Each structure stands twice: as C-alpha cells, then as structure tokens.
Amino acid sequence: METPPIVSAQEWEAARQRLLGEEKQLTRARDALAAKRRRMPWLAVEKTYAFDGPEGRVSLLDLFAGRRQLILYRAFFEPIVYGWPEHACRGCSMVADHVGDLAHLNARDTTLVFASRAPQPEIEQVKARMGWTMPWYTITDDFDADFDVDEWHGTNAFIRDGDRVFRTYFINARGDEALGNTWSYLDMTALGRQEVWEDSPEGYPQTPPYDWWNWHDAYGDPEPAPEWLAQTRRGPRGRLA
C-alpha cells in the first residue's frame, strides 16, 4: 500500500498538534450537542408497556429500578435473527460487548437495560454464553413499534417524575456505535453527566467532576474523597486543568 511520508520527530509532533486542535474542536462540539439534548422537550409516555424479566412481568416504570433515568437498548435477538438461538444479531452483540460496568451509570441515578423479542430462557442462555451481565428483558407488546425499534436497533432514553415516564432522546443506526461507555450513555440523557462544568438548565443536579468517580465495587462507601482530589488543580467550573 502507499504509505504517508516518513518525517522527523519534530515534523511528526507538529502534525499531531494540528490534528489535536481539530480534535479539541470536535470535543467542544460534542459537549455543545449534549447540552442541546439536555434542553430537548420531553414526550410523555401515556401507554402502559409490559416486559418479561427473570422474575416475571414488569412495567416500563419498573425497568428504572427506582432510579430517575432509564436507557433502553433494543437488541435483535429472536427466531428470525441469524445465529438464533446461540447468538443475537452480530451488530447488537458488538454493542453488548462494549457495555462497561453499570455501577458507574447507577451512581448517576441511571439504569441501562437491553430488550428483545426473545423469551427469557434464551436470553439467559445467550448472556451466560457471551459473558454479558446487563439486565435484559423480553418485549411483549407494541413497545418496539412505538419507539422506533421494531425494524432496527436503537437506544431510547427516558426520565421519570414520580410515576410519570417521559421519553427524552433516541439514538439509532451509526449513532449507536459511539455508545457503550459511561460518558457516552450519560451524554444522551436528559440530565447529562451531572457535573458542574456542563452547560445545563438551572437547577439540574450537578457535582464536581471526579469527586463522584469510584471503583465499581466501592460506590456507597462512606469514606470521604481521597486527599489527592482536594489537591488536584482544577480549571473553570470544576474541570480538571
């Protein structure tokens, strides 16, 4: 193949710095887009939806598991999918492979679940086979058609106010490629990362960045933040300098 030019260390660093400037512009643009998501209007969910889970029938509200936000990924796993019943859709399986430890999302009052048309026994078998641990439910009604995921995968974000549920955002197609880690999932939600540097509407929950980060098995630890956090130099609005 035809390769790029071979250059000196100084020329290489200059080229990297030029691209770094563009990458920072992209990061700021991504932050601005997430800020617009936090100002999206909410759509009230008026219908009642039912899902089958490991412990029986549950509602959409139940999927929140008591938290304020819900992210629901529709994965294609059903008899019409290639690989059934040993495997789910290849693309959806790659999405599942990239999901991080959910304790970090939970610490931001957010629950992530998967949902498919497959019955629970097959879902449990494929989770065990692939080493997946996320909650995964069975769609039993028109949820997939009503939320734009009956013919293609997609990720819906919801928020609740008491027992009232609202749809806040939706990502599908190549947009799903960017999801899978705590930051990208939180960026698509109505409340965002809930950190003080974010451009969010007045009154939204926010805490200093890094202060809430923890080992995934240590959330809820009553110990105060380690001393190094207090000594870390911070930039405007709590962003690490």
Side-chain angles (χ1 to χ4, degrees), residues 58-73 99-115 133-137 155-160 165 168 181-182 185-186 188-192 194:
V58 295
S59 68
L60 179 62
L61 183 62
D62 292 327
L63 299 189
F64 283 76
R67 301 183 182 94
R68 190 170 184 187
Q69 296 192 124
L70 171 69
I71 300 170
L72 193 156
Y73 176 72
V99 173
D101 196 291
L102 299 183
H104 305 295
L105 282 175
N106 297 165
R108 294 278 89 176
D109 211 10
T110 302
T111 296
L112 172 72
V113 304
F114 277 38
T133 59
M134 72 285 288
W136 197 321
Y137 294 88
T155 308
N156 277 281
F158 301 91
I159 197 168
R160 69 180 182 91
V165 175
T168 61
N181 66 63
T182 300
Y185 277 131
L186 289 176
M188 76 167 292
T189 66
L191 299 181
Q194 304 164 52

Side-chain angles (χ1 to χ4, degrees), residues 1-150:
M1 66 180 184
E2 184 177 353
T3 67
I6 309 302
V7 298
S8 68
Q10 292 79 9
E11 291 172 311
W12 185 91
E13 181 60 25
R16 189 187 76 87
Q17 288 296 328
R18 288 193 294 271
L19 278 182
L20 181 60
E22 295 184 33
E23 288 171 351
K24 289 184 176 181
Q25 291 179 11
L26 179 60
T27 297
R28 301 295 175 256
R30 188 170 58 245
D31 290 343
L33 180 61
K36 290 182 178 180
R37 291 194 192 105
R38 293 190 287 278
R39 290 167 172 83
M40 273 279 295
W42 296 359
L43 176 66
V45 179
E46 305 291 359
K47 289 175 63 173
T48 299
Y49 296 97
F51 302 81
D52 285 337
E55 299 181 2
R57 186 64 55 94
V58 295
S59 68
L60 179 62
L61 183 62
D62 292 327
L63 299 189
F64 283 76
R67 301 183 182 94
R68 190 170 184 187
Q69 296 192 124
L70 171 69
I71 300 170
L72 193 156
Y73 176 72
R74 196 276 204 245
F76 274 90
F77 181 45
E78 54 193 82
I80 63 171
V81 173
Y82 177 78
W84 172 269
E86 288 80 16
H87 285 292
C89 153
R90 286 171 172 165
C92 296
S93 296
M94 287 187 68
V95 171
D97 282 340
H98 285 82
V99 173
D101 196 291
L102 299 183
H104 305 295
L105 282 175
N106 297 165
R108 294 278 89 176
D109 211 10
T110 302
T111 296
L112 172 72
V113 304
F114 277 38
S116 298
R117 283 282 175 182
Q120 280 297 296
E122 282 73 19
I123 287 176
E124 291 303 315
Q125 288 174 14
V126 80
K127 285 177 63 178
R129 176 191 180 103
M130 302 300 287
W132 298 327
T133 59
M134 72 285 288
W136 197 321
Y137 294 88
T138 302
I139 300 169
T140 68
D141 48 32
D142 296 330
F143 175 87
D144 48 2
D146 291 349
F147 289 94
D148 306 307
V149 288
D150 56 329

